[in-house]
Amino acid sequence: MRAILTSLILATPAFAWEATVGDICTLSHDTGAATIFLTYDPSAPLYTLTVTRKDQVWAQSPWFAMRFEGRNPIEIATPRHVLSDGGSALTVTDTGFGNVLDGLEYNQVAYAFTQDGVAEFPLIDAAPQVRIFRTCAGAHLS
């Protein structure tokens, strides 16, 4: 029985937060149901955030919002988002992502949502990876 349980645990994919620092810095997390992927291009400087739902599409919406719940609750919204990949991916681009990074680093859960859909991202172990992402050369957090 232990062998079966061990093999099941080891066969379960580990969904960890991951950051890379390079010419384009990235921060990502995959829950199995959705993926959040941030980039920062120091040469622009420009941030992007893409939330991809695996089994559902985002409907056209006049706004996109994120809510971060935990020690430092934050809610932000924008009408400046675009859909791609047949509606499964929603992307926001901006020159500053300070509130997004603070929300990811200092809270327990993040919700990316529109009036018709939501993707939930647990923030367990996100903080160290957010700090790595913040070290991206020349990152501006306005």
Side-chain angles (χ1 to χ4, degrees), residues 42-108:
S43 69
L46 191 64
Y47 289 89
T48 66
L49 176 141
T50 301
V51 178
T52 304
R53 296 167 76 190
K54 305 258 177 103
D55 296 328
Q56 299 176 358
V57 297
W58 294 101
Q60 288 291 342
S61 174
W63 52 266
F64 167 72
M66 290 194 77
R67 183 174 62 239
F68 305 94
E69 294 181 356
R71 296 182 325 219
N72 185 26
I74 299 170
E75 188 163 328
I76 53 179
T78 182
R80 299 181 317 199
H81 62 283
V82 295
L83 300 179
S84 61
D85 293 334
S88 65
L90 184 152
T91 301
V92 176
T93 304
D94 203 340
T95 57
F97 265 24
N99 284 338
V100 172
L101 296 177
D102 286 349
L104 294 172
E105 185 172 357
Y106 302 118
N107 288 290
Q108 281 75 47

Coordinates of all heavy atoms in Angstrom, one line a residue, residues 42-108:
P42 N 13.6 44.8 -19.7 CA 14.2 46.0 -19.2 C 14.6 47.0 -20.3 O 14.7 48.1 -20.1 CB 15.5 45.5 -18.5 CG 15.5 44.0 -18.4 CD 14.4 43.6 -19.3
S43 N 14.8 46.5 -21.5 CA 15.1 47.4 -22.6 C 14.0 48.3 -23.0 O 14.2 49.3 -23.6 CB 15.6 46.6 -23.8 OG 14.6 45.8 -24.4
A44 N 12.7 47.9 -22.7 CA 11.6 48.7 -23.1 C 11.3 49.9 -22.3 O 11.0 51.0 -22.8 CB 10.4 47.8 -23.3
P45 N 11.2 49.9 -21.0 CA 10.9 48.8 -20.1 C 9.4 48.5 -20.2 O 8.6 49.4 -20.3 CB 11.2 49.4 -18.7 CG 11.1 50.8 -18.8 CD 11.4 51.2 -20.2
L46 N 9.1 47.2 -20.1 CA 7.7 46.8 -20.3 C 7.4 45.5 -19.6 O 8.2 44.5 -19.7 CB 7.4 46.6 -21.8 CG 5.9 46.5 -22.2 CD1 5.1 47.7 -21.9 CD2 5.9 46.1 -23.7
Y47 N 6.3 45.5 -18.9 CA 5.8 44.3 -18.2 C 4.6 43.7 -19.0 O 3.8 44.5 -19.6 CB 5.3 44.6 -16.8 CG 6.3 44.9 -15.8 CD1 6.7 46.3 -15.6 CD2 6.9 44.0 -15.0 CE1 7.7 46.6 -14.7 CE2 7.9 44.3 -14.1 CZ 8.2 45.6 -13.9 OH 9.2 45.9 -13.0
T48 N 4.5 42.4 -19.0 CA 3.3 41.7 -19.5 C 2.8 40.7 -18.4 O 3.7 40.1 -17.7 CB 3.5 41.0 -20.8 OG1 4.3 39.9 -20.7 CG2 4.0 41.9 -21.9
L49 N 1.5 40.5 -18.4 CA 0.9 39.5 -17.5 C -0.1 38.8 -18.4 O -0.9 39.4 -19.0 CB 0.2 40.1 -16.3 CG -0.5 39.1 -15.4 CD1 -0.3 39.5 -14.0 CD2 -2.0 39.1 -15.8
T50 N 0.1 37.4 -18.5 CA -0.8 36.6 -19.3 C -1.4 35.5 -18.4 O -0.7 34.8 -17.7 CB -0.2 36.0 -20.5 OG1 0.4 37.0 -21.3 CG2 -1.1 35.1 -21.3
V51 N -2.7 35.5 -18.3 CA -3.4 34.4 -17.6 C -4.1 33.5 -18.6 O -5.0 34.0 -19.4 CB -4.4 35.0 -16.6 CG1 -5.2 33.9 -15.9 CG2 -3.8 35.9 -15.6
T52 N -3.8 32.3 -18.6 CA -4.3 31.3 -19.6 C -5.1 30.3 -18.8 O -4.6 29.6 -17.9 CB -3.2 30.6 -20.4 OG1 -2.4 31.6 -21.0 CG2 -3.8 29.7 -21.4
R53 N -6.4 30.1 -19.2 CA -7.3 29.1 -18.6 C -7.2 27.9 -19.5 O -7.2 28.0 -20.8 CB -8.7 29.7 -18.6 CG -8.7 30.8 -17.6 CD -10.0 31.6 -17.7 NE -11.1 30.9 -17.0 CZ -12.4 31.2 -17.1 NH1 -12.7 32.2 -17.9 NH2 -13.3 30.5 -16.5
K54 N -7.0 26.7 -18.9 CA -6.8 25.5 -19.7 C -8.0 24.9 -20.3 O -8.0 24.4 -21.4 CB -6.1 24.5 -18.8 CG -4.8 24.9 -18.1 CD -3.6 24.4 -18.8 CE -2.4 25.0 -18.2 NZ -1.7 24.1 -17.3
D55 N -9.1 24.9 -19.6 CA -10.3 24.2 -20.1 C -11.5 25.2 -20.4 O -12.6 24.8 -20.7 CB -10.8 23.2 -19.1 CG -9.8 22.1 -18.9 OD1 -9.1 21.8 -19.9 OD2 -9.7 21.5 -17.8
Q56 N -11.2 26.5 -20.3 CA -12.3 27.5 -20.5 C -11.6 28.7 -21.3 O -10.4 28.9 -21.3 CB -12.9 28.0 -19.2 CG -13.5 26.9 -18.4 CD -14.0 27.5 -17.1 OE1 -13.8 28.6 -16.7 NE2 -14.6 26.6 -16.3
V57 N -12.5 29.5 -21.9 CA -12.0 30.7 -22.6 C -12.5 31.9 -21.8 O -13.5 31.8 -21.1 CB -12.5 30.8 -24.0 CG1 -11.9 29.6 -24.8 CG2 -14.0 30.8 -24.2
W58 N -11.8 33.0 -21.9 CA -12.2 34.3 -21.4 C -13.2 34.9 -22.3 O -13.0 34.9 -23.5 CB -11.1 35.2 -21.2 CG -10.0 34.8 -20.2 CD1 -8.8 34.2 -20.5 CD2 -10.1 34.9 -18.8 NE1 -8.1 34.0 -19.4 CE2 -8.9 34.4 -18.3 CE3 -11.0 35.5 -17.9 CZ2 -8.6 34.4 -16.9 CZ3 -10.7 35.4 -16.6 CH2 -9.5 34.9 -16.1
A59 N -14.4 35.3 -21.8 CA -15.3 36.1 -22.7 C -14.9 37.5 -22.8 O -14.1 38.0 -21.9 CB -16.7 36.0 -22.0
Q60 N -15.2 38.2 -23.9 CA -14.9 39.6 -24.0 C -15.5 40.3 -22.8 O -16.6 40.0 -22.4 CB -15.5 40.2 -25.3 CG -14.8 39.7 -26.6 CD -13.4 40.3 -26.7 OE1 -13.1 41.3 -26.0 NE2 -12.6 39.7 -27.5
S61 N -14.8 41.2 -22.2 CA -15.2 41.9 -21.0 C -14.6 43.3 -21.1 O -13.5 43.6 -21.6 CB -14.6 41.2 -19.8 OG -14.9 41.9 -18.6
P62 N -15.4 44.3 -20.6 CA -14.9 45.7 -20.6 C -13.7 45.9 -19.6 O -13.0 46.9 -19.7 CB -16.1 46.5 -20.2 CG -17.0 45.6 -19.5 CD -16.7 44.2 -20.0
W63 N -13.5 45.0 -18.7 CA -12.4 45.1 -17.7 C -11.8 43.8 -17.3 O -12.4 42.7 -17.5 CB -12.9 45.9 -16.4 CG -14.2 45.3 -15.9 CD1 -15.4 45.6 -16.1 CD2 -14.2 44.1 -14.9 NE1 -16.3 44.8 -15.4 CE2 -15.6 43.9 -14.7 CE3 -13.3 43.3 -14.3 CZ2 -16.0 42.9 -13.8 CZ3 -13.7 42.3 -13.5 CH2 -15.1 42.1 -13.2
F64 N -10.6 43.9 -16.7 CA -9.9 42.7 -16.1 C -9.4 43.2 -14.8 O -9.0 44.3 -14.6 CB -8.7 42.3 -17.0 CG -7.8 41.3 -16.3 CD1 -8.2 40.0 -16.1 CD2 -6.6 41.8 -15.9 CE1 -7.3 39.1 -15.4 CE2 -5.7 40.9 -15.2 CZ -6.1 39.6 -15.0
A65 N -9.5 42.3 -13.8 CA -9.1 42.7 -12.4 C -8.3 41.6 -11.8 O -8.4 40.4 -12.2 CB -10.3 43.1 -11.6
M66 N -7.6 42.0 -10.8 CA -6.9 41.0 -9.9 C -7.1 41.4 -8.5 O -7.1 42.6 -8.1 CB -5.4 40.9 -10.2 CG -5.1 40.3 -11.5 SD -3.3 39.9 -11.7 CE -3.3 38.4 -10.8
R67 N -7.4 40.4 -7.7 CA -7.6 40.6 -6.2 C -6.6 39.7 -5.5 O -6.5 38.5 -5.8 CB -9.0 40.3 -5.8 CG -9.2 40.6 -4.3 CD -10.7 40.4 -3.9 NE -11.2 39.1 -4.0 CZ -12.2 38.7 -4.8 NH1 -12.9 39.6 -5.5 NH2 -12.6 37.5 -4.9
F68 N -5.9 40.3 -4.6 CA -4.9 39.5 -3.8 C -5.4 39.5 -2.4 O -5.7 40.6 -1.8 CB -3.5 40.2 -3.9 CG -3.1 40.4 -5.3 CD1 -3.3 41.5 -6.0 CD2 -2.4 39.3 -5.9 CE1 -2.8 41.7 -7.3 CE2 -2.0 39.4 -7.2 CZ -2.2 40.6 -7.9
E69 N -5.6 38.3 -1.8 CA -6.1 38.2 -0.4 C -5.0 37.7 0.5 O -4.3 36.7 0.1 CB -7.3 37.3 -0.4 CG -8.5 37.9 -1.1 CD -9.7 37.1 -1.1 OE1 -9.7 36.0 -0.5 OE2 -10.8 37.6 -1.6
G70 N -4.9 38.3 1.7 CA -3.9 37.8 2.7 C -3.5 39.0 3.5 O -4.4 39.9 3.8
R71 N -2.3 39.1 3.9 CA -1.8 40.1 4.8 C -1.9 41.5 4.2 O -2.0 42.5 4.9 CB -0.3 39.9 5.2 CG -0.1 38.6 6.0 CD 1.3 38.5 6.4 NE 2.2 39.0 5.3 CZ 3.3 38.5 4.9 NH1 3.8 37.5 5.5 NH2 4.0 39.1 4.0
N72 N -1.7 41.6 2.9 CA -1.7 42.9 2.2 C -2.7 42.9 1.1 O -2.3 42.9 -0.1 CB -0.2 43.2 1.7 CG -0.1 44.5 1.1 OD1 -0.8 45.5 1.4 ND2 0.9 44.6 0.2
P73 N -4.0 42.9 1.4 CA -5.0 42.8 0.3 C -4.9 44.0 -0.7 O -4.7 45.1 -0.3 CB -6.3 42.8 1.1 CG -6.0 43.3 2.4 CD -4.6 43.1 2.7
I74 N -5.0 43.6 -1.9 CA -4.9 44.6 -3.0 C -6.0 44.2 -4.1 O -6.1 43.0 -4.3 CB -3.5 44.6 -3.7 CG1 -2.5 45.0 -2.7 CG2 -3.5 45.6 -4.9 CD1 -1.0 44.8 -3.2
E75 N -6.6 45.2 -4.7 CA -7.5 44.9 -5.8 C -7.2 45.9 -6.9 O -7.2 47.1 -6.6 CB -9.0 44.9 -5.5 CG -9.8 44.4 -6.7 CD -11.2 44.0 -6.3 OE1 -11.4 43.5 -5.2 OE2 -12.1 44.2 -7.2
I76 N -6.9 45.5 -8.1 CA -6.6 46.4 -9.2 C -7.4 46.0 -10.4 O -7.8 44.8 -10.5 CB -5.1 46.3 -9.5 CG1 -4.6 44.9 -9.8 CG2 -4.2 47.0 -8.4 CD1 -3.1 44.8 -10.2
A77 N -7.7 46.9 -11.3 CA -8.4 46.6 -12.5 C -8.0 47.5 -13.6 O -7.4 48.6 -13.4 CB -9.9 46.9 -12.2
T78 N -8.2 47.0 -14.9 CA -7.8 47.8 -16.1 C -8.8 47.4 -17.2 O -9.3 46.3 -17.3 CB -6.4 47.5 -16.5 OG1 -6.0 48.2 -17.6 CG2 -6.2 46.0 -16.8
P79 N -9.0 48.4 -18.1 CA -9.8 48.1 -19.3 C -8.8 47.7 -20.5 O -9.2 47.4 -21.6 CB -10.5 49.4 -19.6 CG -9.5 50.4 -19.1 CD -8.9 49.8 -17.9
R80 N -7.5 47.7 -20.2 CA -6.5 47.5 -21.2 C -5.9 46.1 -21.2 O -4.8 45.8 -20.8 CB -5.3 48.5 -21.0 CG -5.7 50.0 -21.1 CD -4.5 50.9 -20.9 NE -3.7 50.4 -19.8 CZ -2.8 51.1 -19.2 NH1 -2.7 52.4 -19.5 NH2 -2.1 50.6 -18.2
H81 N -6.8 45.2 -21.7 CA -6.4 43.8 -21.8 C -6.8 43.3 -23.2 O -7.7 43.9 -23.9 CB -7.0 43.0 -20.7 CG -8.5 43.0 -20.8 ND1 -9.3 44.0 -20.3 CD2 -9.4 42.1 -21.3 CE1 -10.6 43.8 -20.5 NE2 -10.7 42.6 -21.1
V82 N -6.1 42.2 -23.6 CA -6.5 41.6 -24.9 C -6.6 40.1 -24.8 O -5.9 39.6 -23.9 CB -5.4 42.0 -26.0 CG1 -5.4 43.5 -26.3 CG2 -4.0 41.5 -25.6
L83 N -7.4 39.5 -25.6 CA -7.5 38.1 -25.6 C -6.8 37.5 -26.8 O -6.7 38.1 -27.8 CB -9.0 37.7 -25.7 CG -9.9 38.2 -24.6 CD1 -11.4 37.7 -24.8 CD2 -9.4 37.7 -23.2
S84 N -6.2 36.3 -26.6 CA -5.5 35.6 -27.7 C -5.7 34.1 -27.5 O -6.4 33.7 -26.6 CB -4.1 36.0 -27.7 OG -3.4 35.6 -26.5
D85 N -5.1 33.3 -28.4 CA -5.2 31.9 -28.3 C -6.7 31.4 -28.3 O -7.0 30.6 -27.4 CB -4.4 31.3 -27.2 CG -2.9 31.5 -27.4 OD1 -2.5 31.6 -28.5 OD2 -2.2 31.5 -26.4
G86 N -7.5 32.0 -29.1 CA -8.9 31.6 -29.1 C -9.7 32.0 -27.9 O -10.7 31.4 -27.6
G87 N -9.2 32.9 -27.1 CA -9.9 33.4 -25.9 C -9.4 32.7 -24.7 O -9.8 33.1 -23.6
S88 N -8.5 31.8 -24.8 CA -8.0 31.1 -23.5 C -7.0 31.9 -22.8 O -6.8 31.8 -21.6 CB -7.4 29.7 -23.9 OG -6.2 29.9 -24.7
A89 N -6.3 32.9 -23.5 CA -5.2 33.7 -22.9 C -5.7 35.2 -22.8 O -6.2 35.7 -23.8 CB -3.9 33.6 -23.6
L90 N -5.5 35.8 -21.7 CA -5.8 37.2 -21.4 C -4.5 37.9 -21.0 O -3.8 37.4 -20.1 CB -6.8 37.3 -20.3 CG -7.4 38.7 -20.0 CD1 -8.8 38.6 -19.5 CD2 -6.5 39.4 -19.0
T91 N -4.1 39.0 -21.7 CA -2.9 39.6 -21.5 C -3.0 41.1 -21.2 O -3.8 41.8 -21.9 CB -1.9 39.5 -22.7 OG1 -1.7 38.1 -23.0 CG2 -0.6 40.1 -22.5
V92 N -2.3 41.6 -20.2 CA -2.2 43.0 -19.9 C -0.8 43.4 -20.0 O 0.2 42.7 -19.6 CB -2.7 43.2 -18.4 CG1 -2.5 44.7 -18.1 CG2 -4.1 42.8 -18.3
T93 N -0.5 44.6 -20.6 CA 0.8 45.1 -20.8 C 0.9 46.5 -20.2 O -0.1 47.3 -20.3 CB 1.2 45.2 -22.3 OG1 1.0 43.9 -22.9 CG2 2.6 45.7 -22.5
D94 N 2.0 46.8 -19.4 CA 2.1 48.1 -18.8 C 3.6 48.4 -18.5 O 4.4 47.5 -18.5 CB 1.3 48.2 -17.5 CG 0.9 49.6 -17.1 OD1 1.6 50.6 -17.5 OD2 0.0 49.7 -16.3
T95 N 3.9 49.6 -18.2 CA 5.3 50.0 -17.8 C 5.6 49.8 -16.3 O 6.7 50.0 -15.9 CB 5.6 51.4 -18.2 OG1 4.6 52.3 -17.6 CG2 5.5 51.6 -19.7
G96 N 4.5 49.6 -15.5 CA 4.7 49.3 -14.1 C 3.8 48.3 -13.6 O 2.6 48.3 -13.9
F97 N 4.4 47.4 -12.7 CA 3.6 46.3 -12.2 C 3.8 46.2 -10.7 O 3.7 45.1 -10.1 CB 3.9 45.0 -12.8 CG 3.1 44.5 -14.0 CD1 2.4 45.5 -14.7 CD2 3.0 43.2 -14.3 CE1 1.6 45.1 -15.8 CE2 2.2 42.8 -15.4 CZ 1.5 43.7 -16.1
G98 N 4.1 47.3 -10.0 CA 4.4 47.3 -8.6 C 3.3 46.6 -7.7 O 3.6 45.8 -6.9
N99 N 2.1 47.0 -8.0 CA 0.9 46.5 -7.2 C 0.8 45.0 -7.5 O 0.4 44.2 -6.5 CB -0.4 47.2 -7.6 CG -0.4 48.6 -6.9 OD1 0.2 48.8 -5.9 ND2 -1.3 49.4 -7.5
V100 N 1.0 44.6 -8.7 CA 0.8 43.1 -9.0 C 1.9 42.3 -8.3 O 1.6 41.3 -7.6 CB 1.0 42.9 -10.5 CG1 1.0 41.4 -10.8 CG2 -0.2 43.5 -11.3
L101 N 3.2 42.8 -8.3 CA 4.3 42.1 -7.6 C 4.1 42.1 -6.1 O 4.3 41.1 -5.5 CB 5.6 42.7 -8.1 CG 5.9 42.6 -9.5 CD1 7.3 43.2 -9.9 CD2 5.9 41.1 -10.0
D102 N 3.6 43.3 -5.6 CA 3.3 43.3 -4.1 C 2.2 42.3 -3.8 O 2.3 41.6 -2.8 CB 2.9 44.7 -3.7 CG 4.0 45.7 -3.7 OD1 5.2 45.3 -3.8 OD2 3.7 46.9 -3.6
G103 N 1.2 42.3 -4.6 CA 0.1 41.3 -4.3 C 0.6 39.9 -4.4 O 0.2 39.1 -3.5
L104 N 1.4 39.5 -5.3 CA 1.9 38.2 -5.4 C 2.9 37.8 -4.3 O 2.9 36.7 -3.8 CB 2.6 38.0 -6.8 CG 1.8 38.1 -8.0 CD1 2.6 38.0 -9.3 CD2 0.8 36.9 -8.1
E105 N 3.7 38.8 -3.9 CA 4.7 38.5 -2.8 C 4.1 38.5 -1.4 O 4.6 37.7 -0.6 CB 5.8 39.6 -2.9 CG 6.9 39.3 -2.0 CD 8.1 40.2 -2.2 OE1 8.1 41.1 -3.1 OE2 9.1 40.1 -1.4
Y106 N 3.2 39.3 -1.1 CA 2.8 39.5 0.3 C 1.4 39.0 0.6 O 0.8 39.3 1.7 CB 2.8 41.0 0.6 CG 4.1 41.6 0.4 CD1 4.3 42.6 -0.5 CD2 5.2 41.2 1.1 CE1 5.6 43.2 -0.7 CE2 6.5 41.7 0.9 CZ 6.7 42.7 0.0 OH 7.9 43.3 -0.2
N107 N 0.8 38.1 -0.2 CA -0.5 37.6 0.1 C -0.5 36.0 0.0 O 0.5 35.4 -0.3 CB -1.5 38.2 -0.8 CG -1.8 39.7 -0.4 OD1 -2.3 39.9 0.6 ND2 -1.3 40.6 -1.2
Q108 N -1.7 35.4 0.2 CA -1.9 34.0 0.2 C -2.6 33.5 -1.1 O -2.4 32.3 -1.4 CB -2.7 33.5 1.4 CG -1.8 33.5 2.7 CD -1.5 34.8 3.3 OE1 -2.5 35.6 3.4 NE2 -0.3 35.1 3.6

